[in-house]
Amino acid sequence: MRAETLFNLVLVGGLLAVALIAFGLEETFTITLVTKVAIFAIAGIGLNLALGQGGLVSFGHAAFFGLGGYAVGILSSHAQNYEPLMEWPFLVEGTTFMPVLWLVAVLVSGIAALAIGAISLRTAGVYFIMITLAFAQMIYYFAISWPAYGGEDGLSIYVRNGFPGLNTLDPLSFFLLVFAVLLLVVFLAARLQASRFGMTLEAARQNALRVTSAGISPYRVRLVAFVISAMITGLAGALYADLNRFVSPAMLSWQTSGEIMVFVILGGVGRLAGPIAGAALFVMLEHFLGGLAEHWQFFLGLALLGVVLFARGGLAGFVLKERGRG
Amino acid sequence: MADPVLDLRQVTKSFGALVASDHVDLDLMPGEIHALIGPNGAGKSTLIKQIAGELRPSSGTIRFNGEDITAAPPARRATMGLARTFQVSALAPEFSALANVMVAVAPRAGGVFRFFGRALSDRALTEPAMAALQRVGLENRAEVPVSELSHGERRQLEIAIALAMKPKVFLMDEPMAGMGPDGSQRLTRLLADMKAEAPILLVEHDMDAVFALANRISVMVYGRVVATGTADDIRANPLVREAYLGGDDA
């Protein structure tokens, strides 16, 4: 446990250090890469709650990542074009104010997860994987075929949305904002993991009968976990939209679901900081190998294979040399 | 006479042509241990599963303190006060013994939907859980993960969990199975002690324990209850001797 805390601090500290060094060296692109790591890490922490703690292998978290992104894209494009979202029965205007955008992204993802989870959680195992995938694909194709917000071409956000007191267009300021959100999410995830709810969720993963016979419906516990998980991933999607100043159906695609899962598995399933390690590894592989070979995913596949075969606990488990979870 | 705590009327469960429970009438009175015995495959576990809510009877009714629970889901029955121990342990293997009990305490000590406070330092959970472990003699093994507990210790832990639920009925499916003679004796004493808290419906193969503990015994053969009575009645019942106890066992 002590070693894991150290590992978490090194990871989080390392992320900040790389960004600050890159700022010193005026390597703006590196700051963007580190920001991407932090955002992917948030998405992964979201999924890790369902997958790691709850044992719910969701292959549809891109739905929430994308919905979060589209919530930001749609609201800010309305605000930037001075077109209200709707005028009747009451006036709803777009906004470029990040806290409101985040809140909407989190709520939209949560409501979607409530509906998707309520149905999907009646299944288990492979069926759960497939049904979450199916829901995400439904939303993906809906986004493609809905021309109002760019359809297949996606939707641009002309100017990055604002946060009070910050110039979000400055890469380091935006990174620090994302980093602060990451810290908050890590803190909340840690508390949740150690809470009564986290304990019950873990118990339901290990043995659902244990929880049922104690008078708790595993379904309800899992549904709440699924919703919280989706909200966190949706928040990451909102940040990602602002990082790229662009949202497209690609955010909703099954490849994105797979990538979020890769962050979790590479880093260490069920580990608090696992997704940070996994996202960092992923972005590094993408960046360095992507420069060397066009089909860098081949090497990502090799890395994944290595983790699954030789380091079940992912990077975190490998470094901490333990088999069990903290 | 007092009203039964648990009351099964004409409970029938069939799987295709196989009738696992055949018009079973069974009740459990306050303060008693009612043992359910019968040869393997007689349908004892199937009956327990129907009482716990894991299986729905094909027909018949199950009442718990007068309320019809035939269709209630298992979690609801547990909340109402049905505590069950399993033939094959149903524990969270990665958790410590203490955490396993805490999971069962939580719904009765403020609920499980608390997302912030540290469960392991929540005295509303740890204290009742430790007390339950103490009663079964596992207080020194509280921090040990279940995967490292012996078979006997897991059985004790199951009972600690049931105790921690402060139930109105204990449903115990072969708690003595796989326990050594020492363990069985200790468990027999514990069960005798537990019936003061809540009546016990006990499925058990250990005849010494059954005859020592049970106020009433029901014998099940091929899904039917063929006899119900005191230990002496059952010993003397020719039907029972033939069907189940055989020559050497009685």
Side-chain angles (χ1 to χ4, degrees), chain A residues 175-208:
Chain A
F175 166 76
L176 290 173
L177 182 63
V178 171
F179 185 71
V181 174
L182 173 65
L183 288 184
L184 183 72
V185 168
V186 169
F187 172 71
L188 291 177
R191 295 305 298 252
L192 189 98
Q193 199 168 9
S195 73
R196 283 181 181 207
F197 180 76
M199 179 179 79
T200 311
L201 180 64
E202 281 252 14
R205 172 178 62 77
Q206 294 174 36
N207 195 333

Side-chain angles (χ1 to χ4, degrees), chain A residues 187-188 191-192 194-200 202-203 205-207 209-217 220-221 224 228 325, chain B residues 74-75 78-79 86 90-95 100 104 106-117 119 122 125 161 165:
Chain A
F187 172 71
L188 291 177
R191 295 305 298 252
L192 189 98
S195 73
R196 283 181 181 207
F197 180 76
M199 179 179 79
T200 311
E202 281 252 14
R205 172 178 62 77
Q206 294 174 36
N207 195 333
L209 210 52
R210 171 73 273 121
V211 168
T212 311
S213 54
I216 310 156
S217 151
R220 281 176 59 197
V221 173
V224 171
I228 298 174
R325 294 148 201 269
Chain B
T79 314
F86 293 83
L91 300 165
E94 295 166 30
F95 276 3
N100 266 279
R108 271 151 288 275
V112 299
F113 291 97
R114 290 195 190 173
F115 302 90
F116 215 66
D122 185 345
L125 296 184
I161 291 171
M165 289 169 66

Side-chain angles (χ1 to χ4, degrees), chain A residues 72-246:
Chain A
V72 168
I74 291 171
L75 282 176
S76 54
S77 77
H78 276 282
Q80 284 167 359
N81 296 328
Y82 302 101
E83 289 168 352
L85 216 57
M86 59 182 202
E87 293 175 44
W88 191 90
F90 41 84
L91 183 73
V92 177
E93 303 230 43
T95 175
T96 59
F97 184 60
M98 274 189 195
V100 173
L101 291 168
W102 295 350
L103 187 70
V104 174
V106 164
L107 285 177
V108 168
S109 313
I111 291 166
L114 190 64
I116 293 175
I119 298 168
S120 309
L121 287 167
R122 298 192 181 279
T123 68
V126 174
Y127 298 100
F128 181 76
I129 299 176
M130 286 299 132
I131 198 166
T132 48
L133 171 65
F135 274 116
Q137 289 299 93
M138 272 167 56
I139 299 174
Y140 169 72
Y141 284 111
F142 180 76
I144 280 191
S145 58
W146 196 21
Y149 297 108
E152 212 166 349
D153 299 328
L155 182 62
S156 286
I157 303 166
Y158 306 119
V159 181
R160 189 173 284 158
N161 293 300
F163 191 89
L166 273 184
N167 173 15
T168 53
L169 288 172
D170 170 50
L172 187 69
S173 302
F174 185 61
F175 166 76
L176 290 173
L177 182 63
V178 171
F179 185 71
V181 174
L182 173 65
L183 288 184
L184 183 72
V185 168
V186 169
F187 172 71
L188 291 177
R191 295 305 298 252
L192 189 98
Q193 199 168 9
S195 73
R196 283 181 181 207
F197 180 76
M199 179 179 79
T200 311
L201 180 64
E202 281 252 14
R205 172 178 62 77
Q206 294 174 36
N207 195 333
L209 210 52
R210 171 73 273 121
V211 168
T212 311
S213 54
I216 310 156
S217 151
Y219 175 80
R220 281 176 59 197
V221 173
R222 287 174 179 151
L223 185 57
V224 171
F226 191 73
V227 168
I228 298 174
S229 158
M231 285 173 151
I232 298 172
T233 301
L235 178 61
L239 294 169
Y240 196 61
D242 255 325
L243 174 70
N244 297 324
R245 278 170 271 170
F246 177 65

Side-chain angles (χ1 to χ4, degrees), chain A residues 241-326:
Chain A
D242 255 325
L243 174 70
N244 297 324
R245 278 170 271 170
F246 177 65
V247 287
S248 78
M251 278 181 82
L252 292 157
S253 72
W254 65 269
Q255 286 95 332
T256 304
S257 289
E259 282 172 11
I260 302 173
M261 212 183 274
V262 166
F263 309 150
V264 174
I265 295 170
L266 273 185
V269 174
R271 297 279 188 179
L272 184 59
I276 305 178
L281 204 61
F282 180 89
V283 171
M284 280 196 284
L285 283 173
E286 184 185 38
H287 180 65
F288 293 114
L289 294 176
L292 295 175
E294 196 184 338
H295 298 289
W296 67 276
Q297 283 93 339
F298 174 75
F299 298 99
L300 174 68
L302 280 186
L304 258 182
L305 211 60
V307 164
V308 173
L309 288 178
F310 303 113
R312 271 291 173 78
L315 207 60
F318 186 71
V319 172
L320 298 167
K321 299 262 186 273
E322 302 167 21
R323 279 180 305 131
R325 294 148 201 269

